Amino acid sequence: MASLNVGNLGEYLREQRRSAQLSLRQLADAAGVSNPYLSQIERGLRKPSAEVLQQVAKALRISAETLYVRAGILDAERDRDEVETRAVILADPTLNERQKQVLLQIYESFRKENGFEVAPADETGHGTGAPGTQDTQDTQPPPDTAVRGPRTADGSDAGPQQTAS
């Protein structure tokens, strides 16, 4: 995880709060955090958790991912690529929901194998890279996948095995 860039984050939050025409107290109330704590975040004195950033983003009606990137929690380019990959899989009309979930699980396992963290799920249950949430793992094969028998050396399916009587 990258180090937190709280100075840049604080300036950005202050700018967004002023653009939304909210006082520090109004934003703190809307986000469910204390006024002094929010002030310390804006001044770059505190490192907020992903959960606090998510609450503040919701109160400001901006993307939580934007705040995660500003805070250094997410790597913008890498995580954007991951989100786009997931979006393409989920948007494919030729796949059923079960197939989409299996593809996402395979994608996550390859990422994990290659040393990248597996992205947690968003509120729809699909991974987005938002910290603080979880993916559900389903280990059953898709219902339309046939269980195959042994294969021959050339990779084709072996015929039914005959037993001597």
Side-chain angles (χ1 to χ4, degrees):
M1 179 166 40
S3 64
L4 296 179
N5 186 357
V6 291
N8 186 27
L9 172 66
E11 293 169 17
Y12 180 75
L13 281 176
R14 183 177 295 119
E15 180 183 305
Q16 292 300 309
R17 178 178 58 80
R18 288 180 177 161
S19 294
Q21 299 180 340
L22 293 173
S23 70
L24 192 62
R25 184 171 309 250
Q26 288 171 321
L27 178 57
D29 288 343
V33 298
S34 74
N35 189 26
Y37 182 61
L38 185 59
S39 174
Q40 291 173 345
I41 294 170
E42 281 194 1
R43 291 181 287 141
L45 303 175
R46 289 287 188 150
K47 298 176 181 180
S49 68
E51 291 81 16
V52 168
L53 289 175
Q54 187 173 24
Q55 291 169 251
V56 171
K58 185 175 180 182
L60 286 171
R61 296 183 178 162
I62 61 175
S63 164
E65 183 180 76
T66 301
L67 294 184
Y68 298 149
V69 170
R70 290 275 179 168
I73 294 173
L74 291 180
D75 175 9
E77 195 62 38
R78 189 192 76 207
D79 292 320
R80 185 173 322 136
D81 290 345
E82 179 184 355
V83 168
E84 288 173 3
T85 301
R86 291 173 177 280
V88 168
I89 292 170
L90 292 170
D92 189 331
T94 64
L95 300 175
N96 65 38
E97 283 304 309
R98 182 74 190 115
Q99 292 167 330
K100 291 175 186 179
Q101 289 305 311
V102 170
L103 267 176
L104 288 173
Q105 289 172 7
I106 293 168
Y107 175 65
E108 289 168 3
S109 71
F110 284 146
R111 285 181 51 82
K112 189 173 183 179
E113 183 179 308
N114 292 333
F116 292 97
E117 290 183 27
V118 175
D122 67 7
E123 57 278 353
T124 65
H126 303 302
T128 63
T133 56
Q134 297 177 336
D135 270 345
T136 55
Q137 293 293 325
D138 208 355
T139 57
Q140 297 296 320
D144 56 312
T145 302
V147 178
R148 299 191 188 272
R151 300 216 171 215
T152 62
D154 68 357
S156 61
D157 291 334
Q161 295 181 352
Q162 300 292 326
T163 55
S165 326

